[in-house]
Amino acid sequence: MIIFVVGPSGVGKSTTLSNLKSMFPEMVFLNLDGITAEWAVELGLIETASITDLNACIGDPELFFALGFQAIGVYASRHSGKHLIIDVGAGFQVSSSAGRLHSHFKIISIVSSTEAAHKHPRTNNGI
């Protein structure tokens, strides 16, 4: 089973999943940015696992999204039988394909008020 966790930047996706890891040790918690950048290094697209470098290299949200799905497939095959819980970064959510994830996979959406998301230290410099 694959479950995607989506929501705007700064809403608490990563924090929530980090807090759940110890409660569900039989599940694998992943960050889509991280595994996609690692997969891109394996493919020779970039030299270091940097999502910023990968985005600059690809330059197309749909191809970026497709590469992320390749990374998930590779990771799932290497960890057969494990449930995957995947934190989907905002960079992947700009793809038009992201809007169709719910038709094929289980999705958990984390939402908050705009004010709360903007107060997060990693978004908008806390503004």
Side-chain angles (χ1 to χ4, degrees), residues 47-70:
E47 291 190 23
T48 58
S50 162
I51 203 68
T52 303
D53 292 350
L54 178 58
N55 221 347
C57 172
I58 292 178
D60 179 314
E62 299 307 315
L63 292 176
F64 187 66
F65 189 83
L67 189 63
F69 262 81
Q70 276 187 347

Side-chain angles (χ1 to χ4, degrees), residues 9-12 15 115-127:
S9 291
V11 76
T15 301
E115 295 80 21
H118 284 290
K119 287 180 184 175
H120 189 281
R122 288 185 302 182
T123 56
N124 298 321
N125 297 321
I127 297 172

Side-chain angles (χ1 to χ4, degrees), residues 33-127:
D33 287 352
I35 65 170
T36 303
E38 290 168 9
W39 177 235
V41 169
E42 282 189 52
L43 292 174
L45 296 174
I46 54 177
E47 291 190 23
T48 58
S50 162
I51 203 68
T52 303
D53 292 350
L54 178 58
N55 221 347
C57 172
I58 292 178
D60 179 314
E62 299 307 315
L63 292 176
F64 187 66
F65 189 83
L67 189 63
F69 262 81
Q70 276 187 347
I72 292 167
V74 168
Y75 200 93
S77 69
R78 291 177 181 170
H79 298 86
S80 181
K82 296 279 189 176
H83 297 300
L84 305 180
I85 311 298
I86 302 173
D87 177 349
V88 180
F92 287 96
Q93 294 178 48
V94 298
S95 162
S96 63
S97 300
R100 295 187 296 278
L101 278 177
H102 69 281
S103 339
H104 305 287
F105 299 97
K106 295 183 184 307
I107 304 291
I108 296 172
S109 294
I110 299 178
V111 296
S112 75
S113 68
T114 304
E115 295 80 21
H118 284 290
K119 287 180 184 175
H120 189 281
R122 288 185 302 182
T123 56
N124 298 321
N125 297 321
I127 297 172

